[in-house]
Amino acid sequence: MGFARTCSVALVGVEGVVVEVQADLEPGIATFALVGLPDKSLTESRDRVRAAIVNSGETWPSKKLTVGLSPASVPKGGSGFDLAVACAVLAAGGRIAPEAIADLMMIGELGLDGRVRPVRGVLPAVLAAADAGYRHVVVPERTTAEAALVPGVAVLGVRSLRQLIAVLNDEPVPEEDAEGDAEGRPDPMLAGLTAPGGGIGTGLATSLGGSAHPAPGAAPGHPDSRDMADVAGQPAARLALEVAAAGGHHVFLKGPPGAGKTMLAERLPGILPPLTRQESLEVTAVHSVAGILPPGRPLVDAPPYCAPHHSATMPSLVGGGSGLPRPGAVSLAHRGVLFLDEAPEFSVRALDALRQPLESGHIIVARAAGVMRLPARFMLVLAANPCPCGRYAVGGGCDCSPTAVRRYQARLSGPLLDRVDLRVDVGPVSRSDLIDHGHGESTAAVAARVRDARARAAARYADTPWRMNCDIPGHEIRTRWHAAPGALHAAERDMERGMLTARGLDRVLRVAWTLADLAAHPRPTAEDIRCALQLRSGFNRGAALAGSTG
């Protein structure tokens, strides 16, 4: 009779639950039972573990074997438990000292040849282990850098089960050749880190939106060469993006085809500041679970950019899938930009599902298999044509009936647009702007102003849990941080006329504070309030939008 235990982690969304893996050997008919609410992929680990142990030169115990995963009430899935199950079985059989693995956290899939293959979600798993007090973690060698991002945890990366057995028994560690070393041969080990099709349209900011610091000598068309200076004209839209980046506000770009809406949105991530350490860990955890973490880049330090196609379903946007839900586009864009091009073409249910995460910064997805809370604090950028043909109110030529125009515009509901801070009409580019315009302001110049504005906001909110203007609750911004005397007359008049809701007033105040930060005003002036109202309503209030970007 033998007993041993070690630990692994079950992922529920981007949160980890520590699972104790127990192995018990008793005399009787040789059987292998795996209990503790495993799913299909975890149940198949019985065959993987047996083959891996035998092909590693060890003896499979000819006894009644029971492996339990505790707590049994937590659903468990995936192949990341293989390494812990194998070591628990070997320790129960006496090949490894049980005390050597009792305080170890093990994460990894086993190949039939005994190699340790990487799995998704290593970072959130190690974070959960560290929170539970574990200080020693064993992971696949390919994910060592990702696991090492967690402070206070000693990480051991192994290539095979043979190597881990040797380390635990203080024996000479055998050499294992790394797969994929041959020239031109893909590395099969990296397959476990990616989800099929998971990375399409979900690249990082540097892969789609460019960077505030382009690579030296980047060729035209290269991702790092995309710059705000490429945008011809559109001063109001450029200002709206700068304000959005400085304060974390949502944007609605409305205009005819070819006006530059997509070009503007793709350059927004480049003017955002780099992620802080905590933000990087949050984003990396989501991308690791989703299987879109770039190989060789364990830490995501740039704001992500996610641009799903308009045929995307509601589960693909907010999260879902069979069994336990998986992160959707709103979570993949956490701390970054979610761009919905041709927004009225999305399903109404999918668009309205964004209303709750826009307010709360997270999404709660309930399914039969469980309830999951996923982070979803993103900047929403909507782009739309004025009508189905796109030529409405731009000089004639529109073939759409008034009913068709109203129906098309009504696909963006009032409650959704009420949560959007900045609404800008992006008009057609004039000949002079397109042909004769010189280079406008570069991404680097705009990004510098954005950083300065965010620094002013962070200093103002230093003694609070908030850092950006978009984070401030309405009651707080109305009572603790006041605008200049008399500055709110225009906003109060709009509320009395029913043109502005209570939520709208709070959002106007947040935008006004962002404009004040960009202009280095100690508090919003009447001009800042008028500009914020104009950016929200789209109506000309006499504010100098064109000159504000300088």
Side-chain angles (χ1 to χ4, degrees):
M1 179 177 178
F3 175 82
R5 65 178 182 84
T6 187
C7 289
S8 191
V9 176
L11 289 177
V12 182
V14 295
E15 298 176 355
V17 178
V18 174
V19 174
E20 186 175 75
V21 181
Q22 304 170 340
D24 178 70
L25 282 174
E26 295 180 358
I29 299 176
T31 58
F32 186 177
L34 183 63
V35 298
L37 211 57
D39 71 352
K40 178 66 174 176
S41 62
L42 182 50
T43 302
E44 292 174 348
S45 69
R46 294 179 299 183
D47 299 319
R48 291 194 300 269
V49 168
R50 180 187 287 109
I53 289 178
V54 172
N55 290 327
S56 297
E58 305 297 333
T59 302
W60 182 259
S62 299
K63 295 181 180 180
K64 180 182 178 181
L65 171 61
T66 303
V67 173
L69 308 175
S70 178
S73 60
V74 177
K76 306 167 189 73
S79 55
F81 292 89
D82 289 2
L83 194 58
V85 171
C87 288
V89 171
L90 291 172
R95 180 64 178 89
I96 300 173
E99 58 272 13
I101 64 171
D103 296 325
L104 281 182
M105 180 66 64
M106 299 187 184
I107 305 162
E109 175 187 334
L110 285 175
L112 300 184
D113 59 353
R115 288 183 177 271
V116 181
R117 305 179 66 89
V119 293
R120 301 192 297 270
V122 167
L123 177 60
V126 178
L127 285 170
D131 291 341
Y134 288 86
R135 293 295 174 260
H136 300 278
V137 179
V138 180
V139 299
E141 185 183 53
R142 293 286 187 180
T143 58
T144 303
E146 183 181 346
L149 296 173
V150 182
V153 176
V155 179
L156 172 63
V158 294
R159 289 185 181 178
S160 68
L161 180 60
R162 286 183 290 269
Q163 287 188 338
L164 181 55
I165 294 172
V167 171
L168 295 174
N169 289 332
D170 199 19
E171 299 171 352
V173 179
E175 291 292 332
E176 297 284 358
D177 294 333
E179 293 193 26
D181 288 343
E183 184 176 355
R185 178 185 175 187
D187 190 348
M189 289 292 186
L190 298 179
L193 295 176
T194 58
I200 302 301
T202 57
L204 304 181
T206 51
S207 65
L208 284 177
S211 169
H213 306 283
H222 186 277
D224 283 337
S225 69
R226 296 188 179 186
D227 198 285
M228 287 288 288
D230 301 334
V231 179
Q234 309 298 1
R238 291 174 63 99
L239 171 65
L241 290 191
E242 184 175 338
V243 173
H249 306 293
H250 308 303
V251 188
F252 177 32
L253 303 175
K254 181 180 178 181
K261 302 185 295 294
T262 302
M263 174 183 283
L264 286 161
E266 288 180 343
R267 281 151 179 77
L268 177 57
I271 63 177
L272 294 175
L275 300 178
T276 64
R277 176 73 177 186
Q278 180 60 37
E279 292 171 344
S280 293
L281 291 176
E282 294 174 9
V283 174
T284 302
V286 176
H287 287 208
S288 178
V289 169
I292 61 171
L293 197 62
R297 187 177 177 183
L299 184 66
V300 179
D301 56 4
Y305 175 94
C306 186
H309 190 260
H310 61 73
S311 61
T313 61
M314 185 176 72
S316 70
L317 283 181
V318 302
S322 60
L324 284 175
R326 296 182 60 82
V330 297
S331 297
L332 298 179
H334 180 59
R335 302 294 183 184
V337 177
L338 176 63
F339 176 46
L340 302 185
D341 200 3
E342 305 294 345
E345 300 296 338
F346 284 79
S347 74
V348 175
R349 290 181 65 246
L351 290 173
D352 285 342
L354 301 176
R355 287 151 57 175
Q356 185 254 337
L358 285 175
E359 287 289 322
S360 63
H362 63 268
I363 182 74
I364 298 177
V365 183
R367 295 291 185 270
V371 178
M372 182 181 302
R373 184 181 187 273
L374 295 167
R377 188 167 297 281
F378 56 90
M379 292 172 53
L380 176 65
V381 180
L382 300 171
N385 295 325
C387 67
C389 76
R391 297 189 297 272
Y392 180 75
V394 288
C398 178
D399 300 324
C400 306
S401 66
T403 302
V405 174
R406 286 196 302 269
R407 186 183 301 116
Y408 184 81
Q409 295 179 351
R411 292 181 66 86
L412 300 178
S413 67
L416 174 63
L417 292 179
D418 195 45
R419 290 165 166 82
V420 177
D421 309 293
L422 312 171
R423 309 173 194 175
V424 182
D425 286 327
V426 184
V429 181
S430 66
R431 182 200 62 80
S432 60
D433 285 335
L434 186 63
I435 304 299
D436 302 330
H437 97 291
H439 289 290
E441 277 193 307
S442 66
T443 290
V446 179
R449 289 200 300 271
V450 169
R451 286 195 301 271
D452 292 342
R454 286 206 180 187
R456 295 185 185 101
R460 182 169 60 249
Y461 306 132
D463 297 329
T464 72
W466 312 295
R467 289 295 174 267
M468 290 194 301
N469 294 318
C470 66
D471 300 329
I472 310 301
H475 174 74
E476 297 290 336
I477 202 167
R478 291 193 305 270
T479 58
R480 293 181 61 178
W481 293 281
H482 301 283
L488 290 177
H489 287 338
E492 292 168 352
R493 188 165 57 251
D494 280 6
M495 283 201 70
E496 292 172 356
R497 296 173 177 174
M499 299 172 60
L500 196 64
T501 64
R503 181 196 289 126
L505 176 62
D506 293 341
R507 292 187 175 275
V508 165
L509 289 174
R510 295 185 187 112
V511 173
W513 272 106
T514 301
L515 289 165
D517 291 332
L518 286 168
H521 295 159
R523 53 181 174 172
T525 63
E527 177 68 15
D528 293 328
I529 297 294
R530 282 197 300 271
C531 185
L533 286 169
Q534 182 166 330
L535 286 171
R536 177 169 179 82
S537 65
F539 301 134
N540 190 347
R541 304 294 184 111
L545 295 188
S548 299
T549 56

